[in-house]
Amino acid sequence: MAQELCQRCNIEEPDRFSLGMLLPDAVVTGNKKAAGTHFDRMTDSTHKVMDFSKFYEKFEEQVNTDELYLGYYLHLIEDCVFRKYIYYGLGLLELRGKEGFLEQLYRDYHSVNGYLAEKYEIIKLP
């Protein structure tokens, strides 16, 4: 998706933009909630959203001048769309908590993120 956006939006620094798109998920501990990388908040007892507006308010100047921050910002928006469609639209929220559900849903992310983190030396894997 980052590559497509770079072409369509005339992104001048595609590597920084693409890295920004990865950063919210590049959590070494595996606990994104504790790291706070997604600026998420609960809208009620079962619905969570990525508060990309909060991110924008905090980093408005950087989002408008640095494509790394723009990529990060768009990742948060993308996660909102994903969550609305996958969890709420398709009703998969009810499957949360069932054994193996999250591992299966995010399996591709975990395998690709580890590979990219090591390849681009974001973190050194053991």
mmCIF file of all heavy atoms in Angstrom, residues 54-104:
data_model
loop_
_atom_site.group_PDB
_atom_site.id
_atom_site.type_symbol
_atom_site.label_atom_id
_atom_site.label_comp_id
_atom_site.label_asym_id
_atom_site.label_seq_id
_atom_site.Cartn_x
_atom_site.Cartn_y
_atom_site.Cartn_z
ATOM 1 N N LYS A 54 -5.698 12.795 17.422
ATOM 2 C CA LYS A 54 -4.799 13.108 18.534
ATOM 3 C C LYS A 54 -3.352 13.117 18.050
ATOM 4 O O LYS A 54 -2.572 13.998 18.421
ATOM 5 C CB LYS A 54 -4.986 12.092 19.660
ATOM 6 C CG LYS A 54 -4.146 12.355 20.879
ATOM 7 C CD LYS A 54 -4.462 11.329 21.953
ATOM 8 C CE LYS A 54 -3.606 11.529 23.180
ATOM 9 N NZ LYS A 54 -3.883 10.509 24.198
ATOM 10 N N PHE A 55 -2.996 12.126 17.224
ATOM 11 C CA PHE A 55 -1.647 12.083 16.656
ATOM 12 C C PHE A 55 -1.387 13.341 15.829
ATOM 13 O O PHE A 55 -0.337 13.979 15.961
ATOM 14 C CB PHE A 55 -1.471 10.830 15.787
ATOM 15 C CG PHE A 55 -0.121 10.748 15.115
ATOM 16 C CD1 PHE A 55 0.955 10.196 15.787
ATOM 17 C CD2 PHE A 55 0.065 11.236 13.842
ATOM 18 C CE1 PHE A 55 2.208 10.120 15.186
ATOM 19 C CE2 PHE A 55 1.309 11.173 13.229
ATOM 20 C CZ PHE A 55 2.369 10.612 13.910
ATOM 21 N N TYR A 56 -2.363 13.708 14.997
ATOM 22 C CA TYR A 56 -2.197 14.884 14.133
ATOM 23 C C TYR A 56 -2.049 16.162 14.960
ATOM 24 O O TYR A 56 -1.207 17.013 14.657
ATOM 25 C CB TYR A 56 -3.373 15.006 13.170
ATOM 26 C CG TYR A 56 -3.177 16.098 12.146
ATOM 27 C CD1 TYR A 56 -2.399 15.869 11.024
ATOM 28 C CD2 TYR A 56 -3.748 17.339 12.322
ATOM 29 C CE1 TYR A 56 -2.192 16.876 10.085
ATOM 30 C CE2 TYR A 56 -3.555 18.353 11.391
ATOM 31 C CZ TYR A 56 -2.780 18.110 10.268
ATOM 32 O OH TYR A 56 -2.576 19.104 9.355
ATOM 33 N N GLU A 57 -2.857 16.285 15.989
ATOM 34 C CA GLU A 57 -2.752 17.471 16.857
ATOM 35 C C GLU A 57 -1.364 17.572 17.488
ATOM 36 O O GLU A 57 -0.799 18.655 17.588
ATOM 37 C CB GLU A 57 -3.815 17.432 17.949
ATOM 38 C CG GLU A 57 -5.216 17.685 17.445
ATOM 39 C CD GLU A 57 -6.279 17.400 18.498
ATOM 40 O OE1 GLU A 57 -5.930 17.218 19.690
ATOM 41 O OE2 GLU A 57 -7.463 17.346 18.123
ATOM 42 N N LYS A 58 -0.829 16.440 17.897
ATOM 43 C CA LYS A 58 0.470 16.421 18.565
ATOM 44 C C LYS A 58 1.617 16.666 17.583
ATOM 45 O O LYS A 58 2.612 17.296 17.933
ATOM 46 C CB LYS A 58 0.657 15.079 19.272
ATOM 47 C CG LYS A 58 1.921 14.988 20.091
ATOM 48 C CD LYS A 58 1.952 13.718 20.916
ATOM 49 C CE LYS A 58 3.199 13.706 21.792
ATOM 50 N NZ LYS A 58 3.225 12.560 22.685
ATOM 51 N N PHE A 59 1.482 16.158 16.347
ATOM 52 C CA PHE A 59 2.579 16.207 15.386
ATOM 53 C C PHE A 59 2.198 16.902 14.075
ATOM 54 O O PHE A 59 2.729 16.579 13.016
ATOM 55 C CB PHE A 59 3.063 14.786 15.071
ATOM 56 C CG PHE A 59 3.589 14.049 16.262
ATOM 57 C CD1 PHE A 59 2.866 13.017 16.825
ATOM 58 C CD2 PHE A 59 4.817 14.389 16.828
ATOM 59 C CE1 PHE A 59 3.347 12.317 17.923
ATOM 60 C CE2 PHE A 59 5.305 13.689 17.930
ATOM 61 C CZ PHE A 59 4.567 12.658 18.484
ATOM 62 N N GLU A 60 1.312 17.872 14.140
ATOM 63 C CA GLU A 60 0.810 18.527 12.921
ATOM 64 C C GLU A 60 1.935 19.054 12.041
ATOM 65 O O GLU A 60 1.950 18.816 10.820
ATOM 66 C CB GLU A 60 -0.137 19.663 13.283
ATOM 67 C CG GLU A 60 -0.690 20.382 12.065
ATOM 68 C CD GLU A 60 -1.671 21.475 12.432
ATOM 69 O OE1 GLU A 60 -1.954 21.706 13.618
ATOM 70 O OE2 GLU A 60 -2.165 22.110 11.486
ATOM 71 N N GLU A 61 2.860 19.775 12.613
ATOM 72 C CA GLU A 61 3.947 20.336 11.805
ATOM 73 C C GLU A 61 4.756 19.243 11.125
ATOM 74 O O GLU A 61 5.050 19.323 9.927
ATOM 75 C CB GLU A 61 4.871 21.190 12.681
ATOM 76 C CG GLU A 61 5.987 21.839 11.875
ATOM 77 C CD GLU A 61 6.909 22.688 12.728
ATOM 78 O OE1 GLU A 61 6.510 23.115 13.829
ATOM 79 O OE2 GLU A 61 8.039 22.919 12.274
ATOM 80 N N GLN A 62 5.079 18.180 11.865
ATOM 81 C CA GLN A 62 5.862 17.084 11.297
ATOM 82 C C GLN A 62 5.086 16.334 10.212
ATOM 83 O O GLN A 62 5.666 15.952 9.194
ATOM 84 C CB GLN A 62 6.300 16.105 12.396
ATOM 85 C CG GLN A 62 7.286 16.690 13.381
ATOM 86 C CD GLN A 62 6.617 17.300 14.597
ATOM 87 O OE1 GLN A 62 5.478 17.789 14.540
ATOM 88 N NE2 GLN A 62 7.300 17.282 15.730
ATOM 89 N N VAL A 63 3.788 16.109 10.426
ATOM 90 C CA VAL A 63 2.977 15.414 9.421
ATOM 91 C C VAL A 63 2.995 16.184 8.104
ATOM 92 O O VAL A 63 3.031 15.595 7.022
ATOM 93 C CB VAL A 63 1.525 15.201 9.913
ATOM 94 C CG1 VAL A 63 0.609 14.738 8.783
ATOM 95 C CG2 VAL A 63 1.485 14.201 11.054
ATOM 96 N N ASN A 64 3.009 17.508 8.202
ATOM 97 C CA ASN A 64 2.973 18.342 6.998
ATOM 98 C C ASN A 64 4.343 18.594 6.371
ATOM 99 O O ASN A 64 4.410 19.122 5.266
ATOM 100 C CB ASN A 64 2.297 19.676 7.322
ATOM 101 C CG ASN A 64 0.814 19.492 7.535
ATOM 102 O OD1 ASN A 64 0.126 18.920 6.709
ATOM 103 N ND2 ASN A 64 0.314 19.954 8.669
ATOM 104 N N THR A 65 5.416 18.217 7.066
ATOM 105 C CA THR A 65 6.749 18.495 6.528
ATOM 106 C C THR A 65 7.647 17.276 6.421
ATOM 107 O O THR A 65 8.660 17.314 5.724
ATOM 108 C CB THR A 65 7.479 19.548 7.404
ATOM 109 O OG1 THR A 65 7.589 19.048 8.741
ATOM 110 C CG2 THR A 65 6.741 20.868 7.391
ATOM 111 N N ASP A 66 7.315 16.199 7.098
ATOM 112 C CA ASP A 66 8.183 15.018 7.146
ATOM 113 C C ASP A 66 7.369 13.785 6.763
ATOM 114 O O ASP A 66 6.403 13.430 7.433
ATOM 115 C CB ASP A 66 8.760 14.864 8.554
ATOM 116 C CG ASP A 66 9.787 13.755 8.667
ATOM 117 O OD1 ASP A 66 9.764 12.808 7.855
ATOM 118 O OD2 ASP A 66 10.607 13.819 9.602
ATOM 119 N N GLU A 67 7.767 13.137 5.697
ATOM 120 C CA GLU A 67 6.990 12.015 5.175
ATOM 121 C C GLU A 67 7.012 10.793 6.082
ATOM 122 O O GLU A 67 6.146 9.930 5.982
ATOM 123 C CB GLU A 67 7.433 11.705 3.753
ATOM 124 C CG GLU A 67 6.996 12.860 2.850
ATOM 125 C CD GLU A 67 7.509 12.788 1.442
ATOM 126 O OE1 GLU A 67 8.480 12.066 1.167
ATOM 127 O OE2 GLU A 67 6.912 13.481 0.600
ATOM 128 N N LEU A 68 7.959 10.705 7.002
ATOM 129 C CA LEU A 68 7.936 9.647 8.004
ATOM 130 C C LEU A 68 6.688 9.785 8.870
ATOM 131 O O LEU A 68 5.960 8.814 9.095
ATOM 132 C CB LEU A 68 9.196 9.714 8.880
ATOM 133 C CG LEU A 68 9.249 8.657 9.974
ATOM 134 C CD1 LEU A 68 10.098 7.485 9.518
ATOM 135 C CD2 LEU A 68 9.797 9.244 11.253
ATOM 136 N N TYR A 69 6.416 10.988 9.340
ATOM 137 C CA TYR A 69 5.235 11.248 10.164
ATOM 138 C C TYR A 69 3.948 11.098 9.352
ATOM 139 O O TYR A 69 2.937 10.625 9.869
ATOM 140 C CB TYR A 69 5.307 12.646 10.791
ATOM 141 C CG TYR A 69 6.262 12.722 11.939
ATOM 142 C CD1 TYR A 69 7.622 12.913 11.728
ATOM 143 C CD2 TYR A 69 5.804 12.609 13.246
ATOM 144 C CE1 TYR A 69 8.514 12.987 12.791
ATOM 145 C CE2 TYR A 69 6.690 12.685 14.324
ATOM 146 C CZ TYR A 69 8.039 12.870 14.079
ATOM 147 O OH TYR A 69 8.912 12.945 15.140
ATOM 148 N N LEU A 70 3.991 11.485 8.088
ATOM 149 C CA LEU A 70 2.823 11.311 7.225
ATOM 150 C C LEU A 70 2.497 9.829 7.072
ATOM 151 O O LEU A 70 1.337 9.427 7.157
ATOM 152 C CB LEU A 70 3.062 11.948 5.854
ATOM 153 C CG LEU A 70 1.928 11.817 4.846
ATOM 154 C CD1 LEU A 70 0.660 12.511 5.351
ATOM 155 C CD2 LEU A 70 2.362 12.382 3.496
ATOM 156 N N GLY A 71 3.520 8.998 6.888
ATOM 157 C CA GLY A 71 3.308 7.555 6.799
ATOM 158 C C GLY A 71 2.728 6.987 8.076
ATOM 159 O O GLY A 71 1.820 6.147 8.050
ATOM 160 N N TYR A 72 3.242 7.429 9.198
ATOM 161 C CA TYR A 72 2.737 6.985 10.497
ATOM 162 C C TYR A 72 1.254 7.355 10.632
ATOM 163 O O TYR A 72 0.420 6.536 11.026
ATOM 164 C CB TYR A 72 3.555 7.662 11.607
ATOM 165 C CG TYR A 72 3.482 7.026 12.969
ATOM 166 C CD1 TYR A 72 4.619 6.506 13.563
ATOM 167 C CD2 TYR A 72 2.289 6.964 13.686
ATOM 168 C CE1 TYR A 72 4.565 5.948 14.839
ATOM 169 C CE2 TYR A 72 2.229 6.411 14.950
ATOM 170 C CZ TYR A 72 3.377 5.897 15.519
ATOM 171 O OH TYR A 72 3.321 5.342 16.773
ATOM 172 N N TYR A 73 0.949 8.611 10.301
ATOM 173 C CA TYR A 73 -0.424 9.123 10.371
ATOM 174 C C TYR A 73 -1.371 8.298 9.493
ATOM 175 O O TYR A 73 -2.453 7.888 9.922
ATOM 176 C CB TYR A 73 -0.402 10.590 9.947
ATOM 177 C CG TYR A 73 -1.721 11.307 9.928
ATOM 178 C CD1 TYR A 73 -2.507 11.416 11.065
ATOM 179 C CD2 TYR A 73 -2.162 11.929 8.765
ATOM 180 C CE1 TYR A 73 -3.703 12.113 11.048
ATOM 181 C CE2 TYR A 73 -3.357 12.628 8.740
ATOM 182 C CZ TYR A 73 -4.121 12.709 9.880
ATOM 183 O OH TYR A 73 -5.311 13.399 9.857
ATOM 184 N N LEU A 74 -0.949 8.008 8.285
ATOM 185 C CA LEU A 74 -1.797 7.222 7.387
ATOM 186 C C LEU A 74 -1.965 5.788 7.869
ATOM 187 O O LEU A 74 -3.011 5.184 7.658
ATOM 188 C CB LEU A 74 -1.254 7.274 5.967
ATOM 189 C CG LEU A 74 -1.409 8.640 5.304
ATOM 190 C CD1 LEU A 74 -0.765 8.654 3.921
ATOM 191 C CD2 LEU A 74 -2.860 9.051 5.206
ATOM 192 N N HIS A 75 -0.959 5.244 8.550
ATOM 193 C CA HIS A 75 -1.096 3.908 9.134
ATOM 194 C C HIS A 75 -2.237 3.895 10.155
ATOM 195 O O HIS A 75 -3.038 2.962 10.183
ATOM 196 C CB HIS A 75 0.215 3.493 9.813
ATOM 197 C CG HIS A 75 0.123 2.180 10.531
ATOM 198 N ND1 HIS A 75 0.746 1.050 10.064
ATOM 199 C CD2 HIS A 75 -0.532 1.805 11.668
ATOM 200 C CE1 HIS A 75 0.481 0.037 10.896
ATOM 201 N NE2 HIS A 75 -0.294 0.489 11.878
ATOM 202 N N LEU A 76 -2.298 4.934 10.983
ATOM 203 C CA LEU A 76 -3.360 4.998 11.992
ATOM 204 C C LEU A 76 -4.739 5.095 11.337
ATOM 205 O O LEU A 76 -5.692 4.449 11.787
ATOM 206 C CB LEU A 76 -3.131 6.182 12.934
ATOM 207 C CG LEU A 76 -1.832 6.146 13.753
ATOM 208 C CD1 LEU A 76 -1.717 7.396 14.611
ATOM 209 C CD2 LEU A 76 -1.740 4.892 14.593
ATOM 210 N N ILE A 77 -4.841 5.872 10.275
ATOM 211 C CA ILE A 77 -6.112 5.970 9.540
ATOM 212 C C ILE A 77 -6.459 4.619 8.923
ATOM 213 O O ILE A 77 -7.608 4.156 9.014
ATOM 214 C CB ILE A 77 -6.034 7.072 8.462
ATOM 215 C CG1 ILE A 77 -5.881 8.440 9.133
ATOM 216 C CG2 ILE A 77 -7.253 7.029 7.552
ATOM 217 C CD1 ILE A 77 -5.559 9.570 8.178
ATOM 218 N N GLU A 78 -5.474 3.976 8.326
ATOM 219 C CA GLU A 78 -5.682 2.659 7.719
ATOM 220 C C GLU A 78 -6.167 1.647 8.759
ATOM 221 O O GLU A 78 -7.074 0.848 8.499
ATOM 222 C CB GLU A 78 -4.365 2.192 7.091
ATOM 223 C CG GLU A 78 -4.428 0.840 6.440
ATOM 224 C CD GLU A 78 -3.084 0.425 5.900
ATOM 225 O OE1 GLU A 78 -2.060 0.608 6.603
ATOM 226 O OE2 GLU A 78 -3.048 -0.079 4.779
ATOM 227 N N ASP A 79 -5.583 1.689 9.953
ATOM 228 C CA ASP A 79 -6.018 0.772 11.013
ATOM 229 C C ASP A 79 -7.461 1.034 11.423
ATOM 230 O O ASP A 79 -8.192 0.102 11.762
ATOM 231 C CB ASP A 79 -5.098 0.868 12.229
ATOM 232 C CG ASP A 79 -3.866 -0.009 12.098
ATOM 233 O OD1 ASP A 79 -3.693 -0.672 11.056
ATOM 234 O OD2 ASP A 79 -3.070 -0.022 13.053
ATOM 235 N N CYS A 80 -7.889 2.296 11.397
ATOM 236 C CA CYS A 80 -9.296 2.612 11.716
ATOM 237 C C CYS A 80 -10.227 1.970 10.691
ATOM 238 O O CYS A 80 -11.253 1.392 11.051
ATOM 239 C CB CYS A 80 -9.521 4.123 11.732
ATOM 240 S SG CYS A 80 -9.033 4.893 13.260
ATOM 241 N N VAL A 81 -9.860 2.077 9.437
ATOM 242 C CA VAL A 81 -10.682 1.485 8.370
ATOM 243 C C VAL A 81 -10.691 -0.032 8.517
ATOM 244 O O VAL A 81 -11.752 -0.674 8.447
ATOM 245 C CB VAL A 81 -10.165 1.915 6.978
ATOM 246 C CG1 VAL A 81 -10.881 1.173 5.871
ATOM 247 C CG2 VAL A 81 -10.300 3.422 6.809
ATOM 248 N N PHE A 82 -9.520 -0.629 8.744
ATOM 249 C CA PHE A 82 -9.403 -2.076 8.921
ATOM 250 C C PHE A 82 -10.297 -2.548 10.068
ATOM 251 O O PHE A 82 -11.071 -3.485 9.940
ATOM 252 C CB PHE A 82 -7.942 -2.444 9.208
ATOM 253 C CG PHE A 82 -7.730 -3.876 9.600
ATOM 254 C CD1 PHE A 82 -7.569 -4.855 8.630
ATOM 255 C CD2 PHE A 82 -7.688 -4.249 10.940
ATOM 256 C CE1 PHE A 82 -7.370 -6.178 8.988
ATOM 257 C CE2 PHE A 82 -7.493 -5.566 11.310
ATOM 258 C CZ PHE A 82 -7.329 -6.536 10.330
ATOM 259 N N ARG A 83 -10.172 -1.861 11.191
ATOM 260 C CA ARG A 83 -10.944 -2.232 12.381
ATOM 261 C C ARG A 83 -12.435 -2.115 12.129
ATOM 262 O O ARG A 83 -13.220 -2.991 12.519
ATOM 263 C CB ARG A 83 -10.524 -1.309 13.525
ATOM 264 C CG ARG A 83 -10.622 -1.925 14.829
ATOM 265 C CD ARG A 83 -9.965 -1.056 15.880
ATOM 266 N NE ARG A 83 -10.305 -1.658 17.116
ATOM 267 C CZ ARG A 83 -9.732 -2.743 17.598
ATOM 268 N NH1 ARG A 83 -8.747 -3.291 16.971
ATOM 269 N NH2 ARG A 83 -10.153 -3.268 18.709
ATOM 270 N N LYS A 84 -12.852 -1.023 11.519
ATOM 271 C CA LYS A 84 -14.281 -0.823 11.252
ATOM 272 C C LYS A 84 -14.820 -1.917 10.334
ATOM 273 O O LYS A 84 -15.904 -2.456 10.557
ATOM 274 C CB LYS A 84 -14.513 0.553 10.633
ATOM 275 C CG LYS A 84 -15.969 0.847 10.377
ATOM 276 C CD LYS A 84 -16.158 2.269 9.899
ATOM 277 C CE LYS A 84 -17.566 2.512 9.482
ATOM 278 N NZ LYS A 84 -18.421 3.115 10.420
ATOM 279 N N TYR A 85 -14.059 -2.267 9.310
ATOM 280 C CA TYR A 85 -14.528 -3.271 8.359
ATOM 281 C C TYR A 85 -14.403 -4.693 8.907
ATOM 282 O O TYR A 85 -15.370 -5.453 8.916
ATOM 283 C CB TYR A 85 -13.753 -3.147 7.044
ATOM 284 C CG TYR A 85 -14.137 -4.203 6.043
ATOM 285 C CD1 TYR A 85 -15.365 -4.160 5.398
ATOM 286 C CD2 TYR A 85 -13.290 -5.260 5.761
ATOM 287 C CE1 TYR A 85 -15.736 -5.147 4.498
ATOM 288 C CE2 TYR A 85 -13.645 -6.243 4.853
ATOM 289 C CZ TYR A 85 -14.870 -6.193 4.228
ATOM 290 O OH TYR A 85 -15.229 -7.165 3.349
ATOM 291 N N ILE A 86 -13.201 -5.063 9.368
ATOM 292 C CA ILE A 86 -12.951 -6.442 9.785
ATOM 293 C C ILE A 86 -13.654 -6.775 11.103
ATOM 294 O O ILE A 86 -14.361 -7.775 11.214
ATOM 295 C CB ILE A 86 -11.442 -6.719 9.917
ATOM 296 C CG1 ILE A 86 -10.742 -6.563 8.556
ATOM 297 C CG2 ILE A 86 -11.164 -8.085 10.531
ATOM 298 C CD1 ILE A 86 -11.131 -7.600 7.523
ATOM 299 N N TYR A 87 -13.421 -5.967 12.124
ATOM 300 C CA TYR A 87 -13.975 -6.284 13.431
ATOM 301 C C TYR A 87 -15.462 -5.982 13.537
ATOM 302 O O TYR A 87 -16.240 -6.782 14.023
ATOM 303 C CB TYR A 87 -13.243 -5.526 14.530
ATOM 304 C CG TYR A 87 -11.898 -6.106 14.895
ATOM 305 C CD1 TYR A 87 -10.936 -5.318 15.473
ATOM 306 C CD2 TYR A 87 -11.594 -7.441 14.673
ATOM 307 C CE1 TYR A 87 -9.695 -5.841 15.830
ATOM 308 C CE2 TYR A 87 -10.372 -7.968 15.006
ATOM 309 C CZ TYR A 87 -9.428 -7.163 15.592
ATOM 310 O OH TYR A 87 -8.216 -7.679 15.940
ATOM 311 N N TYR A 88 -15.840 -4.790 13.117
ATOM 312 C CA TYR A 88 -17.222 -4.369 13.342
ATOM 313 C C TYR A 88 -18.123 -4.694 12.148
ATOM 314 O O TYR A 88 -19.215 -5.205 12.331
ATOM 315 C CB TYR A 88 -17.275 -2.885 13.696
ATOM 316 C CG TYR A 88 -16.307 -2.525 14.812
ATOM 317 C CD1 TYR A 88 -15.474 -1.435 14.713
ATOM 318 C CD2 TYR A 88 -16.221 -3.302 15.967
ATOM 319 C CE1 TYR A 88 -14.578 -1.111 15.730
ATOM 320 C CE2 TYR A 88 -15.332 -2.989 16.981
ATOM 321 C CZ TYR A 88 -14.516 -1.900 16.857
ATOM 322 O OH TYR A 88 -13.629 -1.591 17.850
ATOM 323 N N GLY A 89 -17.663 -4.429 10.947
ATOM 324 C CA GLY A 89 -18.474 -4.687 9.757
ATOM 325 C C GLY A 89 -18.720 -6.161 9.513
ATOM 326 O O GLY A 89 -19.828 -6.576 9.192
ATOM 327 N N LEU A 90 -17.671 -6.969 9.632
ATOM 328 C CA LEU A 90 -17.806 -8.410 9.414
ATOM 329 C C LEU A 90 -18.158 -9.174 10.688
ATOM 330 O O LEU A 90 -18.350 -10.378 10.654
ATOM 331 C CB LEU A 90 -16.511 -8.981 8.819
ATOM 332 C CG LEU A 90 -16.146 -8.477 7.429
ATOM 333 C CD1 LEU A 90 -14.832 -9.107 6.968
ATOM 334 C CD2 LEU A 90 -17.254 -8.774 6.423
ATOM 335 N N GLY A 91 -18.198 -8.476 11.801
ATOM 336 C CA GLY A 91 -18.576 -9.117 13.052
ATOM 337 C C GLY A 91 -17.505 -9.993 13.671
ATOM 338 O O GLY A 91 -17.812 -10.864 14.494
ATOM 339 N N LEU A 92 -16.247 -9.786 13.304
ATOM 340 C CA LEU A 92 -15.187 -10.630 13.841
ATOM 341 C C LEU A 92 -14.772 -10.250 15.255
ATOM 342 O O LEU A 92 -14.012 -10.968 15.888
ATOM 343 C CB LEU A 92 -13.962 -10.612 12.916
ATOM 344 C CG LEU A 92 -14.194 -11.214 11.540
ATOM 345 C CD1 LEU A 92 -12.903 -11.186 10.731
ATOM 346 C CD2 LEU A 92 -14.717 -12.631 11.622
ATOM 347 N N LEU A 93 -15.287 -9.150 15.766
ATOM 348 C CA LEU A 93 -14.968 -8.751 17.132
ATOM 349 C C LEU A 93 -15.367 -9.841 18.115
ATOM 350 O O LEU A 93 -14.668 -10.085 19.104
ATOM 351 C CB LEU A 93 -15.670 -7.435 17.482
ATOM 352 C CG LEU A 93 -15.378 -6.862 18.857
ATOM 353 C CD1 LEU A 93 -13.915 -6.450 18.952
ATOM 354 C CD2 LEU A 93 -16.265 -5.678 19.156
ATOM 355 N N GLU A 94 -16.446 -10.536 17.834
ATOM 356 C CA GLU A 94 -16.919 -11.583 18.730
ATOM 357 C C GLU A 94 -15.942 -12.753 18.825
ATOM 358 O O GLU A 94 -15.979 -13.526 19.771
ATOM 359 C CB GLU A 94 -18.294 -12.113 18.278
ATOM 360 C CG GLU A 94 -19.416 -11.108 18.467
ATOM 361 C CD GLU A 94 -19.454 -10.027 17.383
ATOM 362 O OE1 GLU A 94 -19.028 -10.286 16.241
ATOM 363 O OE2 GLU A 94 -19.880 -8.912 17.703
ATOM 364 N N LEU A 95 -15.069 -12.889 17.823
ATOM 365 C CA LEU A 95 -14.103 -13.985 17.839
ATOM 366 C C LEU A 95 -12.867 -13.667 18.682
ATOM 367 O O LEU A 95 -12.083 -14.563 18.978
ATOM 368 C CB LEU A 95 -13.664 -14.329 16.417
ATOM 369 C CG LEU A 95 -14.764 -14.861 15.505
ATOM 370 C CD1 LEU A 95 -14.222 -15.091 14.106
ATOM 371 C CD2 LEU A 95 -15.361 -16.143 16.069
ATOM 372 N N ARG A 96 -12.728 -12.407 19.058
ATOM 373 C CA ARG A 96 -11.585 -12.040 19.911
ATOM 374 C C ARG A 96 -11.678 -12.813 21.209
ATOM 375 O O ARG A 96 -12.743 -12.994 21.771
ATOM 376 C CB ARG A 96 -11.578 -10.551 20.180
ATOM 377 C CG ARG A 96 -11.229 -9.772 18.940
ATOM 378 C CD ARG A 96 -10.786 -8.420 19.262
ATOM 379 N NE ARG A 96 -9.478 -8.494 19.897
ATOM 380 C CZ ARG A 96 -8.688 -7.482 20.058
ATOM 381 N NH1 ARG A 96 -9.066 -6.304 19.640
ATOM 382 N NH2 ARG A 96 -7.533 -7.600 20.647
ATOM 383 N N GLY A 97 -10.553 -13.260 21.659
ATOM 384 C CA GLY A 97 -10.507 -14.036 22.887
ATOM 385 C C GLY A 97 -10.563 -15.528 22.640
ATOM 386 O O GLY A 97 -10.196 -16.317 23.502
ATOM 387 N N LYS A 98 -11.018 -15.920 21.470
ATOM 388 C CA LYS A 98 -11.029 -17.349 21.149
ATOM 389 C C LYS A 98 -9.611 -17.775 20.799
ATOM 390 O O LYS A 98 -8.873 -17.054 20.131
ATOM 391 C CB LYS A 98 -11.979 -17.644 19.995
ATOM 392 C CG LYS A 98 -13.421 -17.428 20.384
ATOM 393 C CD LYS A 98 -14.367 -18.046 19.420
ATOM 394 C CE LYS A 98 -15.769 -17.833 19.974
ATOM 395 N NZ LYS A 98 -16.776 -18.455 19.197
ATOM 396 N N GLU A 99 -9.258 -18.940 21.259
ATOM 397 C CA GLU A 99 -7.898 -19.427 21.099
ATOM 398 C C GLU A 99 -7.448 -19.405 19.641
ATOM 399 O O GLU A 99 -8.131 -19.919 18.759
ATOM 400 C CB GLU A 99 -7.778 -20.854 21.655
ATOM 401 C CG GLU A 99 -6.365 -21.357 21.687
ATOM 402 C CD GLU A 99 -6.237 -22.715 22.346
ATOM 403 O OE1 GLU A 99 -7.098 -23.059 23.181
ATOM 404 O OE2 GLU A 99 -5.300 -23.421 22.019
ATOM 405 N N GLY A 100 -6.334 -18.772 19.413
ATOM 406 C CA GLY A 100 -5.722 -18.754 18.094
ATOM 407 C C GLY A 100 -6.242 -17.705 17.128
ATOM 408 O O GLY A 100 -5.684 -17.525 16.060
ATOM 409 N N PHE A 101 -7.311 -16.984 17.486
ATOM 410 C CA PHE A 101 -7.903 -16.027 16.545
ATOM 411 C C PHE A 101 -6.935 -14.905 16.164
ATOM 412 O O PHE A 101 -6.686 -14.655 14.997
ATOM 413 C CB PHE A 101 -9.202 -15.432 17.088
ATOM 414 C CG PHE A 101 -9.724 -14.290 16.263
ATOM 415 C CD1 PHE A 101 -10.192 -14.504 14.977
ATOM 416 C CD2 PHE A 101 -9.714 -12.993 16.750
ATOM 417 C CE1 PHE A 101 -10.654 -13.452 14.197
ATOM 418 C CE2 PHE A 101 -10.179 -11.936 15.977
ATOM 419 C CZ PHE A 101 -10.646 -12.173 14.695
ATOM 420 N N LEU A 102 -6.400 -14.224 17.158
ATOM 421 C CA LEU A 102 -5.501 -13.105 16.855
ATOM 422 C C LEU A 102 -4.222 -13.566 16.179
ATOM 423 O O LEU A 102 -3.730 -12.902 15.263
ATOM 424 C CB LEU A 102 -5.167 -12.305 18.119
ATOM 425 C CG LEU A 102 -6.293 -11.451 18.658
ATOM 426 C CD1 LEU A 102 -5.846 -10.735 19.927
ATOM 427 C CD2 LEU A 102 -6.775 -10.446 17.632
ATOM 428 N N GLU A 103 -3.705 -14.703 16.585
ATOM 429 C CA GLU A 103 -2.500 -15.222 15.951
ATOM 430 C C GLU A 103 -2.745 -15.488 14.469
ATOM 431 O O GLU A 103 -1.922 -15.175 13.620
ATOM 432 C CB GLU A 103 -2.016 -16.499 16.645
ATOM 433 C CG GLU A 103 -1.459 -16.265 18.037
ATOM 434 C CD GLU A 103 -2.552 -16.100 19.101
ATOM 435 O OE1 GLU A 103 -3.743 -16.377 18.828
ATOM 436 O OE2 GLU A 103 -2.208 -15.668 20.212
ATOM 437 N N GLN A 104 -3.900 -16.049 14.157
ATOM 438 C CA GLN A 104 -4.235 -16.333 12.766
ATOM 439 C C GLN A 104 -4.486 -15.041 11.982
ATOM 440 O O GLN A 104 -4.005 -14.873 10.872
ATOM 441 C CB GLN A 104 -5.467 -17.231 12.693
ATOM 442 C CG GLN A 104 -5.812 -17.645 11.282
ATOM 443 C CD GLN A 104 -7.002 -18.596 11.261
ATOM 444 O OE1 GLN A 104 -7.605 -18.895 12.280
ATOM 445 N NE2 GLN A 104 -7.340 -19.069 10.086
#
